[in-house]
Amino acid sequence: MKETRKRLGDLLVDAGLLSNDQLESALKEKTKEQRLGDVLLQRGFITEQQLIEVLEFQLGIPHVSLYRYPFDVKLFSLIPKEQAKRNVIVPLKKEGDKLYVAMADPMDFYTIEDLRLATGFSIEPAIATKDDILRSINKFYDADDGLDQLAKEVSTVEQVKEDTITDQDSPIVKLVNQLLSNAATQKASDIHIDPQETKVLVRYRVDGILRTERTIPKSMQNMLIARIKIMSKLDITEHRIPQDGRIKTNIDYRPIDLRVSTLPTVYGEKVVMRILDLGSSLNDLNQLGFNKVNLQRFQEMISKPTGIVLITGPTGSGKSSTLYAALNKLNTEEVNIITVEDPVEYQLEGINQIQVNSQVGLTFATGLRAILRQDPNIVMVGEIRDRETVEVAIRASLTGHLVLSTIHTNDSISTVTRLLDMGVEPFLVASSLSGIIAQRLVRRVCRDCGKPQVPSVREKEIFRKRGLTIDTVIRGEGCSSCNMTGYKGRVAIHEVLSIHEDMKRLILNNEPLSKLREVAIQHKTIFLLDDGLLKVKQGITTTEEILRVAME
């Protein structure tokens, strides 16, 4: 009797990792070329680790964790780096005529056959996560890459030769590519190159937290920075003033856009590269982590034909992503949407985007004035920085346009006083504002190593003060997929303040902040801290993370 193999989706449902509704929606979304597992990972329904465990059961192929795996470095010469990256494979060990290989897709029989013919070994596949494999490739292939030799040469020769920083095979070019590739693998949002007195530090910001990745000899500082400047088309002879540029490149077969900024410091130029991963931009409001009440309020605000909706928070709190998701929802054939941004981060189809250029006098305010003569329905202003921009934005909203923008304040209520401080008349603020969303990003507990724990007395006290109770909290113990931090990925917490009639009356009368807060509480506004604590209750994040970004 032939045993029928269960399909992946059914196995995941049986294991309780997936609901039938989630499976149905993933199957509907899946294209012919895509694999179900990839769609489920993209939608965040399951983690890569969970998928591997089920595949191991379904295919009978063992899975292997590459964190601290004792690799045999001699085997790396059998599989070229290009092939390893393209097919996401890495050699593990050799036993007799068998070569054990870790693969992200052990059903890729073409690759297995290619390897067999190229190496002469019979191939034994094992499953490992894609991130794990890419991290190992970046770490063990070109581990030294001639950098020590180069550092010695440079210390004797002061002048940087042109071909050292442009030739694709030169060690410095490989080093920069390796730094970018590592950052993309670790899903870093920024790369910091910090010159110190005796060395150069390379730090990555992963999930909002900076940590040192590696140290580079001081003698290579000038070449490293010159290489980055050449890639971002900056002036490599100018070291005294800050410069800004962009790099568009392909890393590990994925398009990546980098925003580069240099700053002269005491020990040389500091470079910060912001990575805009064009493949992963979130354009769906439902995936941004809004709770049901806040999502409904936000959708009501942006569905009004007029008024101003402001998103507030510090740098790197996901304001742009929320704005783009809102624009994406509003983007239909019937409306004309124009944005003025500095810089344009993501290009959206069907939306007219203007790049601010202060050198020729195109500022937010002048751009906005020009936009209003273009018959727009919806206007997005990248940031409100000065009184002039606010006044044009308010005028636009009062003449029948929906205006979306961001502003730097700590929470939603203090935004009102910030606008008044900028010199805007209270009656204009009251009549034009539709709503304010304050937003922060917190790290998610890693789904592979998160375990329930009993909350501490302090945590219970914090919850009790906000009128909530808590029995268990989820904390990550640290595993290879989260780099031993216990956190993987980020989620937004929100405070959505609707400006209704009572609030407008208070703003008109120039009432103090405390009065505005009382009315917000009466209208059941969920504050940042409360939304965060609700997410702790759901096991998405931890109390420490919430207190790191939101104050009581």
Side-chain angles (χ1 to χ4, degrees):
M1 184 179 132
K2 184 170 165 284
E3 188 186 356
T4 54
R5 286 235 316 255
K6 276 199 165 182
R7 289 193 312 204
L8 177 65
D10 301 331
L11 277 173
L12 286 164
V13 172
D14 291 349
L17 299 172
L18 202 63
S19 69
N20 280 318
D21 299 346
Q22 287 174 325
L23 179 60
E24 287 302 314
S25 74
L27 286 170
K28 274 196 197 116
E29 196 179 299
K30 185 173 96 73
T31 58
K32 264 201 179 113
E33 295 80 39
Q34 272 181 313
R35 292 197 301 258
L36 177 64
D38 292 343
V39 178
L40 293 171
L41 288 177
Q42 256 171 11
R43 295 287 300 271
F45 290 155
I46 54 170
T47 70
E48 212 172 349
Q49 198 61 41
Q50 290 169 338
L51 178 64
I52 279 182
E53 280 163 12
V54 170
L55 279 176
E56 180 182 25
F57 175 73
Q58 186 197 26
L59 307 172
I61 295 174
H63 95 268
V64 57
S65 164
L66 303 182
Y67 192 82
R68 298 209 176 120
Y69 187 87
F71 283 101
D72 179 354
V73 189
K74 294 194 212 66
L75 294 179
F76 288 130
S77 56
L78 290 174
I79 302 176
K81 183 179 178 185
E82 278 304 300
Q83 188 186 2
K85 279 207 159 165
R86 194 173 55 244
N87 298 322
V88 199
I89 53 177
V90 67
L92 296 171
K93 60 181 180 187
K94 181 176 88 183
E95 280 179 9
D97 64 343
K98 286 183 180 169
L99 178 67
Y100 288 82
V101 179
M103 307 179 70
D105 176 15
M107 302 303 284
D108 183 353
F109 297 117
Y110 291 114
T111 300
I112 293 177
E113 189 56 21
D114 281 351
L115 278 179
R116 189 181 69 78
L117 292 170
T119 61
F121 288 99
S122 76
I123 305 296
E124 290 286 329
I127 318 177
T129 64
K130 191 174 173 184
D131 288 351
D132 240 3
I133 294 176
L134 288 175
R135 208 177 291 146
S136 303
I137 294 173
N138 287 336
K139 190 171 172 185
F140 290 102
Y141 279 89
D142 41 73
D144 58 344
D145 232 7
L147 285 180
D148 304 337
Q149 184 57 36
L150 186 70
K152 282 196 194 88
E153 284 169 25
V154 175
S155 52
T156 51
V157 185
E158 277 305 303
Q159 193 51 42
V160 175
K161 293 194 202 73
E162 175 69 19
D163 59 349
T164 337
I165 47 177
T166 51
D167 175 19
Q168 283 305 314
D169 289 329
S170 99
I172 200 77
V173 173
K174 285 184 176 172
L175 172 67
V176 172
N177 292 348
Q178 206 181 333
L179 290 178
L180 296 180
S181 174
N182 276 344
T185 311
Q186 295 188 27
K187 300 193 171 51
S189 58
D190 303 82
I191 305 171
H192 289 239
I193 293 171
D194 290 342
Q196 313 271 315
E197 192 171 1
T198 56
K199 56 184 189 271
V200 180
L201 291 182
V202 178
R203 299 192 292 166
Y204 290 168
R205 188 181 289 284
V206 179
D207 291 342
I209 307 287
L210 268 174
R211 66 159 185 270
T212 304
E213 173 69 13
R214 68 188 288 179
T215 312
I216 290 170
K218 182 75 175 172
S219 56
M220 296 179 57
Q221 175 179 323
N222 293 345
M223 281 201 299
L224 179 64
I225 286 164
R227 172 63 191 155
I228 292 170
K229 282 184 169 179
I230 281 180
M231 288 173 79
S232 39
K233 299 181 178 61
L234 298 177
D235 181 355
I236 65 169
T237 57
E238 181 56 79
H239 310 290
R240 298 159 303 174
I241 54 170
Q243 299 186 65
D244 288 309
R246 276 193 108 126
I247 301 176
K248 264 193 160 61
T249 180
N250 272 334
I251 300 211
D252 301 342
Y253 311 99
R254 270 214 326 244
I256 277 191
D257 209 352
L258 297 147
R259 248 175 40 212
V260 182
S261 154
T262 71
L263 186 74
T265 69
V266 186
Y267 298 123
E269 286 175 282
K270 174 178 164 73
V271 179
V272 176
M273 297 185 267
R274 160 68 59 90
I275 301 176
L276 306 166
D277 190 346
L278 305 177
S280 72
S281 60
L282 279 173
N283 284 334
D284 184 0
L285 273 183
N286 301 316
Q287 289 179 10
L288 292 182
F290 277 101
N291 67 41
K292 281 183 186 151
V293 181
N294 281 345
L295 182 63
Q296 191 191 347
R297 286 180 183 170
F298 183 47
Q299 284 180 334
E300 280 168 11
M301 281 175 204
I302 59 173
S303 57
K304 289 178 184 169
T306 64
I308 296 185
V309 177
L310 290 177
I311 299 181
T312 158
T315 314
S317 58
K319 301 189 293 292
S320 305
S321 297
T322 306
L323 272 182
Y324 283 126
L327 288 180
N328 216 26
K329 185 170 171 58
L330 299 168
N331 187 10
T332 59
E333 201 179 280
E334 293 90 51
V335 291
N336 177 18
I337 301 178
I338 307 183
T339 76
V340 51
E341 305 168 58
D342 179 25
V344 174
E345 286 191 6
Y346 300 110
Q347 276 109 22
L348 297 176
E349 210 173 312
I351 290 178
N352 312 287
Q353 293 169 285
I354 303 171
Q355 168 93 38
V356 166
N357 185 347
S358 47
Q359 288 170 349
V360 295
L362 175 57
T363 60
F364 279 123
T366 49
L368 241 178
R369 284 200 183 89
I371 286 175
L372 296 179
R373 294 191 283 277
Q374 289 274 326
D375 177 37
N377 301 82
I378 297 165
V379 177
M380 191 263 261
V381 186
E383 191 183 328
I384 288 182
R385 292 177 187 162
D386 50 34
R387 178 176 176 176
E388 194 183 4
T389 315
V390 179
E391 287 181 342
V392 184
I394 284 177
R395 209 167 305 141
S397 75
L398 293 175
T399 52
H401 304 93
L402 174 65
V403 180
L404 306 173
S405 186
T406 70
I407 189 167
H408 283 282
T409 55
N410 285 334
D411 60 7
S412 56
I413 294 173
S414 58
T415 307
V416 175
T417 47
R418 173 101 171 84
L419 291 172
L420 299 174
D421 287 344
M422 280 180 165
V424 184
E425 293 293 337
F427 73 89
L428 285 176
V429 175
S431 50
S432 62
L433 257 190
S434 292
I436 305 162
I437 295 94
Q439 172 169 330
R440 299 284 187 280
L441 289 178
V442 293
R443 293 184 291 168
R444 282 174 179 272
V445 173
C446 171
R447 284 162 60 178
D448 292 325
C449 63
K451 297 277 186 295
Q453 293 184 0
V454 179
S456 66
V457 178
R458 169 110 177 84
E459 279 178 302
K460 286 182 176 170
E461 180 64 17
I462 293 167
F463 273 83
R464 195 183 54 72
K465 272 188 188 162
R466 310 298 291 188
L468 297 164
T469 56
I470 185 143
D471 303 319
T472 54
V473 290
I474 306 279
R475 277 199 177 75
E477 295 177 334
C479 63
S480 61
S481 68
C482 63
N483 232 337
M484 293 298 162
T485 55
Y487 296 99
K488 190 170 186 189
R490 289 194 287 176
V491 64
I493 57 173
H494 302 91
E495 172 174 309
V496 179
L497 180 72
S498 303
I499 307 291
H500 32 68
E501 291 308 316
D502 302 349
M503 198 64 95
K504 286 183 176 174
R505 212 167 18 255
L506 294 179
I507 297 171
L508 268 175
N509 301 335
N510 227 336
E511 296 281 1
L513 264 181
S514 53
K515 280 274 174 64
L516 294 176
R517 183 171 275 280
E518 280 170 23
V519 171
I521 291 170
Q522 284 166 19
H523 282 269
K524 296 196 170 56
T525 301
I526 300 172
F527 292 103
L528 270 177
L529 188 61
D530 301 322
D531 188 34
L533 294 179
L534 288 171
K535 287 192 166 67
V536 175
K537 239 176 125 72
Q538 293 167 350
I540 296 173
T541 184
T542 61
T543 322
E544 293 84 1
E545 275 298 292
I546 302 302
L547 296 179
R548 186 170 63 84
V549 298
M551 306 295 286
E552 282 191 62

